[in-house]
Amino acid sequence: MWLEPFLRRELVTSVRGSRAFDDRRNTLLLIGLVVLGGFAAWDQLGWDRSSIEGASRFGRLIFGLTVATLAILGLPLVIPPVARAIASERDHRSLDTLLASRFSSLEIVLGGMV
């Protein structure tokens, strides 16, 4: 694989630097705070967590909060490349065609993200 040397070098340099550890620690702390907030809100509202149905609802809530938090944290990593990709359409002379299509702006951006 022709990318292997670059990926191996990036793995070694990112592990040596403190940035990777700091990012992972901060993400873990944020997710922990979200989960604790879910616990606190669930107990404050007085909802049941001891029955099977209550535990199931609680688990779905915590899972949804975790996924939403990670999606929000991932957006700053995805938006700049998508913006560059859409802007590069002007260089390929296809931006006008893309904007004249029936796709909405949201569909164009989400399609670029996918």
Side-chain angles (χ1 to χ4, degrees), residues 24-46:
R24 290 177 184 151
R25 183 192 64 222
N26 293 340
T27 302
L28 180 64
L29 289 174
L30 181 63
I31 294 297
L33 287 174
V34 166
V35 170
L36 287 175
F39 271 108
W42 196 271
D43 286 341
Q44 183 69 28
L45 294 171

Side-chain angles (χ1 to χ4, degrees), residues 20 32 47 60 90:
W47 292 342
R60 283 194 303 265
R90 172 164 282 164

Side-chain angles (χ1 to χ4, degrees), residues 4-76:
E4 186 176 350
F6 299 107
L7 294 176
R8 182 172 290 148
R9 181 183 177 280
E10 181 61 30
L11 178 65
V12 169
T13 57
S14 69
V15 170
R16 285 185 188 156
S18 64
R19 186 188 69 198
F21 177 75
D22 291 341
D23 289 344
R24 290 177 184 151
R25 183 192 64 222
N26 293 340
T27 302
L28 180 64
L29 289 174
L30 181 63
I31 294 297
L33 287 174
V34 166
V35 170
L36 287 175
F39 271 108
W42 196 271
D43 286 341
Q44 183 69 28
L45 294 171
W47 292 342
D48 178 35
R49 218 177 46 225
S50 59
S51 69
I52 294 175
E53 184 180 348
S56 174
R57 275 195 236 144
F58 178 72
R60 283 194 303 265
L61 172 80
I62 295 298
F63 180 75
L65 288 173
T66 303
V67 168
T69 303
L70 290 174
I72 290 170
L73 288 175
L75 281 177

